[in-house]
Amino acid sequence: RRRPARRPRPPQEPVAPYTGLKVPCYRHNSAKADCSGLGRGEVEMPRWELFYHVITATRNREPLIDQQVEEVIRASLHTSAQDGGFIVHAFGAMPDHIHVVVSNPPSIAVSKTVQSIKGGATFRINKALPAQKFSWQSEYGVLSFAARDLDAVSRYVLNQKSHHASGNLNTALEADQPD
């Protein structure tokens, strides 16, 4: 059977692949991993282009994310990204959920990145605002997308508040639970 021809996409500036990023070396996962000469527990990835849109909500969808909590989450993302070896491209918050656009090296499971994002934010929020008793729901949504869509997905995430205010939501990018 012949596949239908794809419609040509409008030209866009290419996103440069990430090169030379040092990420954790997991010797126990690969007999071929050689971390020697790269510093303690790191290996250099030659090239990768992996993009994810992560959506997670507060426990019971409670409106716990105000401006103060949002700023703590934003600071936590920076630290989690540095410690976890992933890149945060965009972050958007609503009172009951967040969206994060990340690039994740292939040596790190996406679930570990999400765990780092959620765990780091919870720890920092509960430390800075102990009366808050903040927590996330256990479920989350992750969508992978192509490098050519990075700008569009990032714009959507950065403009969360206006999308929700106008009701102009992309349901595929808002899903944090299976249908």
Side-chain angles (χ1 to χ4, degrees):
R1 247 200 262 175
R2 295 177 81 170
R3 291 184 180 185
R6 290 186 180 203
R7 285 184 273 166
R9 294 187 182 269
Q12 293 179 330
E13 286 188 36
V15 175
Y18 299 101
T19 57
L21 179 71
K22 290 185 179 179
V23 297
C25 178
Y26 297 105
R27 287 190 177 124
H28 63 277
N29 287 347
S30 172
K32 295 180 181 179
D34 178 17
C35 299
S36 61
L38 291 172
R40 187 171 163 246
E42 294 180 332
V43 64
E44 192 168 327
M45 297 297 298
R47 177 192 164 105
W48 51 275
E49 291 182 2
L50 302 171
F51 301 95
Y52 303 99
H53 176 197
V54 177
I55 310 102
T56 191
T58 59
R59 171 117 21 228
N60 300 321
R61 284 282 188 163
E62 295 175 38
L64 301 175
I65 303 173
D66 58 15
Q67 187 64 37
Q68 190 176 15
V69 171
E70 183 177 339
E71 290 308 314
V72 174
I73 294 170
R74 189 178 309 279
S76 171
L77 282 173
H78 178 72
T79 303
S80 294
Q82 283 184 322
D83 294 346
F86 58 91
I87 298 166
V88 176
H89 297 282
F91 165 69
M94 292 304 297
D96 64 349
H97 69 280
I98 64 168
H99 294 252
V100 187
V101 177
V102 297
S103 289
N104 203 61
S107 62
I108 301 172
V110 177
S111 61
K112 290 291 186 189
T113 297
V114 175
Q115 180 183 26
S116 178
I117 290 168
K118 291 170 67 173
T122 301
F123 176 79
R124 287 180 180 270
I125 292 166
N126 289 327
K127 185 175 179 181
L129 310 164
Q132 183 82 330
K133 296 190 177 134
F134 187 90
S135 65
W136 301 104
Q137 66 183 15
S138 58
E139 298 85 14
Y140 58 88
V142 176
L143 303 167
S144 62
F145 60 92
R148 67 178 171 264
D149 298 321
L150 178 60
D151 288 339
V153 175
S154 293
R155 270 194 313 276
Y156 182 82
V157 167
L158 291 170
N159 293 309
Q160 274 298 290
K161 288 179 177 54
S162 64
H163 290 299
H164 280 268
S166 68
N168 185 19
L169 300 174
N170 181 331
T171 55
L173 297 179
E174 291 291 331
D176 64 337
Q177 297 181 17
D179 292 336

